[in-house]
């Protein structure tokens, strides 16, 4: 008996049980076959739980929030001193720590590292990330990369030769509304909780939760702490990352489709950043009235084309209605966004538009979304615990930077206790050159260049040439282990 036949039989059995409950006074009872069908479904849920739970992890984080108090006028301080009262603002904390809990699941083990998918909001801005496995062992985690646009993050823990279980990733595009799903996570800190329900809807967007939304909606119970945990089909394959709930509502949970998460994970592992296609247009959904005026049944309206963008070079104009992308119908704004960002930059695509009542096919070479590498860059610098900004002519003049320094990066923040702090880097330093050895030292003019050097260094450390107070010093930056 295949799965669909089993589900049909269980559904029929449940209906019969309901009828028998209502008609119990008439002597109607469930048969052994009825119980057998229900027990078969129960065993499916038990099997999924036993298969997936060992690869689900508990994630706990610590974040530091700093306060910047406004300057207090001297006369205000004098007022308190007149009456011999301690100035109250002197005791105000400059920072405090927050803690949070979430979930994740192990997707890959390579070279002694276990890679874990979770939500970006679970680990965002965290200074410490700890991962607890199902066997109770605890590890310090590192951020591989994160993507706030889809709320997906990839972290890793050093497990060495230890054998740890991994999940099987499914195909979120093939799931159907009404299918049974199982959610596993740590709601309210209650570790490894299993709930089940169905796929209530697909392609949910416009919720205002993420910049890019294509959620799976489910009525499987999802609560705070479930974030980052897996949503599985009845075969134990992960088809989504549990992400959000609607406050004050029951049965409304949302998960990021695993196909979206897989692309982000693969990009982070291969390129160190998320690569997305880009057209450079402002678009909006069309109402039935506008659709009638333009003579179309579906599509999106182009309201503005960015100057110098791939769309402008390809001939797209404001007022065009995009109805097909590479031959596939365009349903709405989210549909087009997903089609474009999943296209590899540099690829040429056919875009069909309706212009002046006539269809027109344009060939557009897809570009790379500006800022695609920003997230991975921030993660790389976060690993060392510092932040930088490029030096422009105005800033150089203000800081008195010598004219012989053509590039350079101003250190704007150094986290206490971080590798950068341990190396002696300070706020106000100017990083002039970076390299793996003295011979490979090269000028750095952008944060991207510095991040690339840090990435290549691995665990060997990076040599940086620094300008401080008019003098030159050399430091070695080692990543935190």
């Amino acid at each position: 008996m295949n799965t669909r036949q089993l589900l049909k039989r269980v559904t029929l059995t449940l209906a019969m049980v309901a009828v028998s409950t209502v008609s119990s006074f008439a002597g109607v009872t469930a048969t052994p076959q009825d119980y057998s069908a229900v027990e078969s479904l129960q065993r499916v849920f038990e099997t999924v739980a036993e298969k997936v739970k060992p690869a689900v992890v508990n994630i706990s984080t610590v974040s530091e929030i700093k306060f910047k108090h406004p300057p207090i006028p001297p006369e205000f301080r004098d007022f308190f001193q007149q009456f011999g009262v301690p100035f109250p603002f002197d005791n105000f904390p400059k920072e405090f720590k927050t803690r949070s809990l979430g979930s994740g699941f192990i997707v890959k083990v390579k070279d002694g590292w276990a890679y874990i998918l979770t939500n970006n909001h679970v680990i965002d801005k965290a200074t410490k990330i700890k991962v607890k496995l199902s066997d109770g062992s605890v590890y310090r985690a590192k951020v591989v990369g994160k993507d706030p646009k889809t709320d997906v993050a990839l972290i890793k823990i050093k497990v060495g030769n230890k054998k740890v279980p991994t999940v099987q990733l499914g195909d979120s595009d093939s799931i159907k509304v009404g299918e049974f799903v199982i959610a596993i996570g740590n709601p309210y800190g209650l570790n490894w909780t299993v709930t089940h329900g169905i796929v209530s809807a697909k392609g949910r967007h416009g919720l205002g939760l993420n910049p890019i939304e294509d959620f799976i909606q489910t009525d499987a119970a999802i609560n705070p702490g479930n974030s980052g945990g897996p949503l599985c089909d009845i075969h134990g394959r992960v088809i989504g990352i549990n992400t959000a709930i609607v406050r004050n509502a029951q049965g409304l949970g949302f998960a990021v489709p695993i196909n979206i998460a897989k692309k982000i994970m693969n990009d982070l592992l291969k390129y160190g950043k998320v690569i997305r296609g880009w057209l450079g247009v402002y678009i909006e959904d069309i109402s039935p009235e506008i659709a009638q005026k333009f003579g179309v049944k579906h599509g999106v309206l182009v309201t503005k084309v960015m100057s110098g963008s791939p769309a402008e070079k390809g001939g797209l104009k404001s007022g065009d209605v995009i109805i097909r992308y590479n031959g596939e119908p365009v349903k709405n704004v989210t549909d087009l966004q997903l089609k474009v960002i999943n296209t590899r930059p540099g690829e040429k695509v056919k875009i069909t538009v309706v212009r002046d009542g006539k269809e027109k096919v344009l060939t557009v070479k897809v570009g790379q979304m500006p800022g695609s590498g920003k997230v991975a860059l921030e993660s790389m610098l976060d690993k060392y615990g510092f932040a930088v900004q490029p030096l422009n002519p105005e800033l150089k003049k203000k800081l008195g930077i010598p004219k012989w320094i053509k590039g350079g990066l101003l250190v704007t923040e150094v986290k206490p206790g971080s590798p950068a702090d341990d190396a002696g880097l300070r706020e106000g330093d100017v990083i002039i050159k970076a390299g793996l050895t003295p011979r490979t030292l090269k000028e750095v003019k952008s944060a991207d260049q510095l991040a690339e050097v840090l990435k290549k260094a691995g665990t060997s450390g990076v040599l940086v040439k620094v300008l401080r107070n008019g003098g030159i010093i050399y430091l070695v930056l080692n990543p935190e282990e």
Side-chain angles (χ1 to χ4, degrees), residues 14-36:
L14 292 175
M16 292 175 64
V17 171
V19 171
S20 66
T21 301
V22 175
S23 309
S24 58
F25 292 103
V28 178
T29 57
T31 67
Q33 290 81 5
D34 298 332
Y35 283 106
S36 177

Side-chain angles (χ1 to χ4, degrees), residues 462-478:
V462 171
L463 178 66
V464 291
K465 184 177 180 180
V466 176
L467 174 70
R468 179 185 295 172
N469 298 326
I472 297 295
I473 61 173
Y474 289 87
L475 302 172
V476 177
L477 299 175
N478 290 299

Side-chain angles (χ1 to χ4, degrees), residues 44-81:
V44 169
F45 291 141
E46 291 171 353
T47 301
V48 172
E50 290 178 3
K51 178 180 179 181
V52 181
K53 278 175 63 177
V56 177
V57 304
N58 181 310
I59 299 175
S60 58
T61 65
V62 176
S63 302
E64 293 180 359
I65 299 178
K66 295 183 179 180
F67 288 109
K68 289 188 177 180
H69 299 299
I72 307 297
E75 56 270 18
F76 191 49
R77 184 183 294 271
D78 294 340
F79 174 80
F80 282 87
Q81 291 178 347

